[in-house]
Amino acid sequence: MSETPVILQTRDLRKSFGGVHAVDGATTTFYEGKINGLIGPNGSGKTTFFNCVTGMIRPDSGTITMHGRNVTGWAPHRIARAGLGRSFQLCRVFPRMTVLENMLAAVQPASLREYIGNAHHRRTVERARAMLERVGIDHLENSEARDISYGQQKLLELGSTLMTDPPFVMLDEPAGGVNPSLIERIAVLVRELNSEGTTFLIVEHNMDLIMSLCDQIVVFDRGAQIAAGTPDVVQSDPKVLEAYLGV
Ligand code: ADP
Ligand code: MG
């Protein structure tokens, strides 16, 4: 993939919690316009890496470069403004708001006046409804988020992430705890958005999903990259088998 533009690079990234080296010298490259995957056994540092890259936690050392810009240590809102949308491993929806209200809350109005302005509000509602249809939960728009299933909440979370039209979307375990038909819906949506130009970085435990969805996969073990390449290359790498089987 040497000619493909790079969207995200980390160099010797490290983050420890007490004596635990969660991310331990991660040097990685992810590509623009692709569906990138990050896999690894439980506890291999994927979520910590994800949180460093999205600015949720500050790495102890190393660098993070996005679109060629050094964004190490930037706050999440600044990274988001630089073009990164994100979704959370733990579902973050407002439980007592309706599905539609959750979608509207994802959009930061430029000003209160703009928000109150009817035309703007109408456009935002239309967009929210179109997005709900796309993620397949438009029939639930008036339900409170706490009353819909966990899988539907994940779809709501994905939909609200997409409300701001981010060019780069990072998802941490979008399929975790989601039933197979909803996983398939997520996969279809990711493929569609990718064909429209959205870059993805998907951290996932579900190997089948990652292998069928991703163009390029980075494999972590013990906080660092042990392999990278296309699904075929990664799957036949003995280091990867070893990490997963724990030999
Ligand atoms: P993964 O997402 O690949 O399962 P994590 O990044 O969640 O891995 O965890 C990597 C290691 O760091 C694990 O040993 C985990 O217990 C530890 N860890 C993660 N977050 C914290 C934290 N906030 N405090 C202490 N240890 C943590
Ligand atoms: Mg994790």
Side-chain angles (χ1 to χ4, degrees), residues 195-210:
S195 71
E196 293 163 19
T198 308
T199 302
F200 282 89
L201 169 49
I202 303 176
V203 177
E204 185 51 67
H205 208 67
N206 182 325
M207 286 280 260
D208 290 343
L209 177 67
I210 281 284

Side-chain angles (χ1 to χ4, degrees), residues 41-48 50 89 172-173 203 205:
N42 255 328
S44 58
K46 304 182 299 295
T47 295
T48 305
F50 184 97
Q89 181 170 26
D172 193 359
E173 298 206 15
V203 177
H205 208 67

Side-chain angles (χ1 to χ4, degrees), residues 148-225:
I148 65 178
S149 76
Y150 181 74
Q152 289 164 337
Q153 289 184 26
K154 299 276 278 194
L155 290 168
L156 171 57
E157 189 194 17
L158 179 58
S160 58
T161 300
L162 298 173
M163 274 298 280
T164 53
D165 243 337
F168 182 28
V169 176
M170 287 180 57
L171 304 171
D172 193 359
E173 298 206 15
V178 177
N179 78 46
S181 71
L182 292 186
I183 290 177
E184 187 48 36
R185 186 178 279 282
I186 291 172
V188 167
L189 185 62
V190 166
R191 277 196 201 97
E192 273 176 20
L193 290 162
N194 176 249
S195 71
E196 293 163 19
T198 308
T199 302
F200 282 89
L201 169 49
I202 303 176
V203 177
E204 185 51 67
H205 208 67
N206 182 325
M207 286 280 260
D208 290 343
L209 177 67
I210 281 284
M211 291 298 167
S212 65
L213 199 54
C214 293
D215 305 302
Q216 171 80 10
I217 297 169
V218 165
V219 186
F220 263 30
D221 190 29
R222 292 170 210 187
Q225 175 179 309

